[in-house]
């Protein structure tokens, strides 16, 4: 080694050391700075709130009432209306300022829904094969006596396009794209859902543009119990409205198997009705801030659910957790500087009219909306929270994660998208949005099915979610300054 080389190496080493020292200094600086904003009193209160949430069954009791006493809460239904009244009364009872804000919502009512294969290879004479299916929300009806047509199976939009009108017109199209169960098992169920749900959302109109008589989608979910998963979709303006349903994964496989052997004809009957829009409400309940009542932190979930189950996971749990956050803060006598606003959104599932209407009515106040939290991914154990927020504000949240660590919820993640469908319009307007990061590996097994019922919720895990939301909301509402935008 020459002297020159050694000296060059030393200067490289010096540069590395200096970089490390600078990084450490920066780390220390960013460690110290956020912590300074959290007074010892605030940290103590956050810990008390955390512990109180974990030992409270308030959220579970609320959820049980919504699911078991009231039942499914599809927009426009009597149960949805009852749920609005119930949440409003309960929030008044614990001492919040409550108002109902009007939202016009669609009123779609499920009817009969049956499917039978009436022709297929190897068929025993005079028999049919039952197909388990459910109408997608908003579907138009078939003739009362049903329709009968040959089924064509596709695995993608490209596949459908390659068939062209000649092979699709007059037929029932089955979109047979699989939900990626392995991806779900690895903790990315929402991404698996995002991939497959495209066919539920856009399939009916894509099929109708080629003249299809009806559209079926392989259920978007991970269950193996022959459960159909309903869900919303939209008819495109440039396509006829055709009946649309989801078949179970098992029945999609059955149909695909038989279609490979020869023509398969399906008799399909769906008799849902679309009634005129009705007046419904977002429930808005304020725990007023002591210093800046005009500054708002939203805690929320959506009160409407699909009609097949009782909407325990989707999203009674989110509403119950938001209710509990306010109830605990009230019960412990804490006084947040800013207003904590509980919102039970209406119509997330089939129109998003609650979120849209709130954004329309409150856009002048968005500068004072400090953050919006929504929980809408079930009630599984939370490992932390994610935030769609700028990096400076994100760093300020670290001390919150340290408090949540003791229940295994210490992870924080800066995300790239709005943290919830109802808070999406706020997010678009620049309001930071946050959500607990739930373990949702099994969420899509039950999502939008008849099996989304109270028993799927583990009381302890629901309480852990309430702890995350309560501590997060209270901390943000109590910092010396609003989160920077
Ligand atoms: Zn939901």
């Amino acid at each position: 080694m020459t002297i020159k080389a050694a000296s060059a190496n030393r200067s490289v080493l010096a540069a590395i050391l200096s970089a490390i020292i600078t990084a450490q200094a920066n780390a220390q600086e960013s460690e110290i700075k956020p912590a300074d904003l959290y007074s010892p009193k605030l940290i103590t209160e956050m810990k008390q709130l955390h512990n109180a949430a974990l030992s409270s069954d308030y959220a579970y009791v609320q959820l049980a009432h919504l699911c078991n006493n009231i039942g499914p809460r599809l927009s426009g239904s009597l149960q949805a209306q009852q749920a609005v009244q119930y949440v409003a009364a309960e929030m008044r009872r614990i001492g919040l300022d409550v108002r109902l804000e009007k939202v016009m919502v669609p009123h779609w009512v499920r009817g009969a829904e049956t499917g039978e294969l009436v022709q297929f290879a190897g068929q025993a004479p005079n028999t049919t094969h039952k197909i388990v299916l459910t109408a997608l929300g908003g579907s138009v009806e078939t003739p009362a006596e049903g329709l009968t047509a040959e089924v064509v199976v596709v695995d993608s939009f490209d596949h459908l396009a390659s068939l062209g009108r000649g092979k699709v017109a007059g037929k029932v199209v089955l979109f047979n794209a699989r939900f990626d169960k392995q991806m779900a098992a690895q903790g990315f169920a929402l991404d698996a859902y995002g991939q497959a749900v495209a066919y539920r959302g856009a399939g009916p109109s894509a099929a109708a543009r080629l003249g299809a008589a009806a559209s079926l989608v392989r259920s978007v979910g991970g269950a193996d119990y022959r459960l159909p998963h309903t869900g919303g979709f939209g008819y495109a303006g440039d396509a006829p409205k055709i009946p649309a349903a989801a078949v179970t994964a098992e029945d999609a496989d059955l149909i695909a198997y038989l279609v490979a052997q020869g023509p398969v004809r399906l008799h399909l009957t769906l008799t849902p009705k679309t009634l005129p829009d009705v007046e419904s409400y977002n429930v808005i309940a304020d725990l007023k801030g002591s210093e800046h009542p005009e500054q708002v932190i939203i805690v929320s979930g959506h009160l409407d659910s699909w009609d097949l189950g009782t909407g325990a996971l989707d999203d009674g749990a989110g509403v119950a957790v938001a209710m509990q956050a306010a109830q605990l803060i009230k019960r412990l006598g804490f006084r947040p500087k800013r207003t904590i606003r509980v919102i039970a959104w209406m119509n997330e599932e089939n129109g998003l009219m609650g979120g849209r209407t709130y954004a329309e009515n409150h856009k002048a106040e968005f500068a004072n909306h400090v953050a919006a939290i929504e929980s809408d991914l079930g009630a599984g154990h939370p490992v932390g929270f994610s935030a769609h927020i700028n990096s400076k504000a994100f760093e300020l949240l670290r001390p919150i994660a340290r408090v949540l660590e003791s229940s295994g919820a210490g992870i924080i993640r800066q995300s790239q998208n709005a943290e919830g469908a109802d808070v999406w319009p706020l997010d678009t307007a620049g309001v930071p949005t946050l959500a607990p990061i739930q373990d949702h590996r099994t969420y899509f097994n039950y999502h939008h099915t008849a099996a989304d019922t109270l028993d799927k919720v583990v009381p302890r895990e629901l309480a852990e979610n309430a702890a995350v939301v309560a501590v997060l909301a209270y901390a943000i509402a109590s910092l010396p300054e609003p989160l920077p935008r």
Side-chain angles (χ1 to χ4, degrees):
M1 186 189 284
T2 64
I3 290 171
K4 207 175 164 188
S7 131
N9 275 350
R10 262 198 301 279
S11 71
V12 168
L13 189 63
I16 292 169
L17 280 174
S18 139
I20 291 169
I21 291 162
T22 311
Q24 280 173 343
N26 286 344
Q28 273 171 8
E29 196 185 11
S30 66
E31 286 293 294
I32 291 164
K33 242 168 106 187
D36 286 348
L37 301 174
Y38 293 76
S39 67
K41 174 168 176 279
L42 176 55
I43 293 288
T44 302
E45 287 175 341
M46 286 160 63
K47 287 179 177 166
Q48 286 176 331
L49 201 48
H50 186 238
N51 291 337
L54 295 177
S55 60
S56 167
D57 66 355
Y58 180 84
Y60 192 78
V61 170
Q62 300 311 313
L63 180 60
H65 187 89
L66 289 172
C67 296
N68 288 357
N69 297 92
I70 297 176
R73 302 172 300 281
L74 187 58
S75 289
S77 66
L78 293 172
Q79 292 101 320
Q81 193 57 21
Q82 181 72 18
V84 163
Q85 297 302 338
Y86 174 77
V87 172
E90 178 59 24
M91 292 294 91
R92 266 187 209 111
R93 189 186 69 77
I94 66 167
L96 270 50
D97 292 344
V98 179
R99 61 184 187 279
L100 302 183
E101 292 191 359
K102 181 179 143 183
V103 179
M104 293 306 291
V105 297
H107 188 194
W108 178 85
V109 181
R110 189 177 299 282
E113 38 194 28
T114 59
E116 311 91 42
L117 301 184
V118 295
Q119 184 197 328
F120 50 93
Q123 180 180 21
N126 304 315
T127 64
T128 60
H129 227 329
K130 179 176 176 173
I131 295 298
V132 180
L133 53 76
T134 193
L136 295 182
S139 173
V140 296
E141 59 200 310
T142 63
E145 69 281 10
L147 61 81
T148 303
E150 189 176 334
V151 185
V152 53
V153 180
V154 299
D155 54 23
S156 68
F157 289 118
D158 286 346
H159 185 182
L160 176 71
S162 74
L163 296 178
R165 177 169 274 271
K167 290 182 176 159
V168 173
K171 297 188 178 155
V172 174
V173 172
L174 167 60
F175 291 92
N176 192 28
R178 283 163 189 281
F179 179 87
D180 190 335
K181 289 184 194 172
Q182 192 177 350
M183 193 185 246
Q186 288 166 341
F188 302 99
L190 185 60
D191 301 86
Y193 179 73
Q195 287 178 358
V197 81
Y199 296 98
R200 190 188 80 206
S205 288
R209 278 188 202 100
L210 296 178
S215 176
L216 301 177
V217 64
R218 182 187 182 101
S219 281
V220 185
D224 285 323
Y225 300 101
R226 214 177 176 192
L227 282 169
H229 296 237
T230 191
F233 73 104
Y235 286 117
D238 65 342
K241 294 182 177 180
I242 58 172
V247 300
T248 68
E250 292 87 341
D251 288 276
D253 285 342
L254 169 70
I255 293 169
Y257 177 91
L258 293 173
V259 163
Q261 298 180 343
V264 171
R265 289 174 70 78
L266 172 74
H267 180 233
L268 174 69
T269 307
L270 303 174
T271 63
K273 295 270 181 252
T274 299
L275 304 172
D277 288 358
V278 299
E279 185 171 320
S280 188
Y281 306 93
N282 288 329
V283 183
I284 314 245
D286 283 352
L287 195 171
K288 284 277 184 242
S290 58
E291 289 178 25
H292 305 289
E294 77 290 356
Q295 295 178 8
V296 172
I297 288 88
I298 291 173
V299 291
S300 66
H302 67 84
L303 191 52
D304 66 306
S305 77
W306 282 107
D307 55 334
L308 298 175
T310 55
L313 294 168
D314 187 15
D315 182 32
V319 172
V321 159
M323 292 170 79
Q324 173 156 8
Q327 185 264 352
L328 283 172
I329 295 164
K330 204 70 185 162
R331 195 188 87 198
L332 294 174
F334 295 170
R335 312 231 14 236
K337 288 190 175 73
R338 303 182 181 81
T339 293
I340 293 179
R341 173 170 294 172
V342 177
I343 304 186
W345 304 102
M346 184 50 63
N347 189 227
E348 189 275 343
E349 296 292 3
N350 57 336
L352 219 56
M353 291 312 297
R356 291 182 211 266
T357 305
Y358 182 89
E360 197 54 38
N361 293 346
H362 294 271
K363 60 182 173 217
E365 303 145 35
F366 280 1
N368 273 326
H369 278 55
V370 176
I373 303 169
E374 179 166 20
S375 171
D376 186 19
L377 205 53
H381 165 66
V383 296
F385 62 87
S386 58
H388 186 213
I389 198 169
N390 70 37
S391 298
K392 196 172 161 202
F394 183 72
E395 290 304 317
L396 303 183
L397 301 176
R398 291 198 185 279
I400 304 175
R402 256 169 250 136
V403 170
L404 297 175
E405 250 164 24
S406 64
S407 63
I411 293 173
I412 63 174
R413 184 178 65 197
Q414 190 178 8
S415 63
Q416 304 304 318
N417 299 106
E419 294 287 355
D422 301 285
V423 298
W424 164 75
L426 288 117
D427 186 275
T428 304
V431 178
T433 56
L434 301 97
I437 307 171
Q438 282 111 348
D439 176 350
H440 63 291
R441 286 174 296 178
T442 63
Y443 175 67
F444 290 101
N445 293 0
Y446 309 115
H447 181 251
H448 297 185
T449 74
D452 181 1
T453 47
L454 183 66
D455 55 294
K456 306 309 180 305
V457 175
V458 177
R460 164 76 190 188
E461 293 179 348
L462 185 69
E464 290 170 348
N465 278 288
V468 170
V469 171
V471 172
L472 194 50
Y474 184 68
I476 296 172
S478 305
L479 292 175
E481 298 294 329
L483 290 175
R485 297 266 179 99

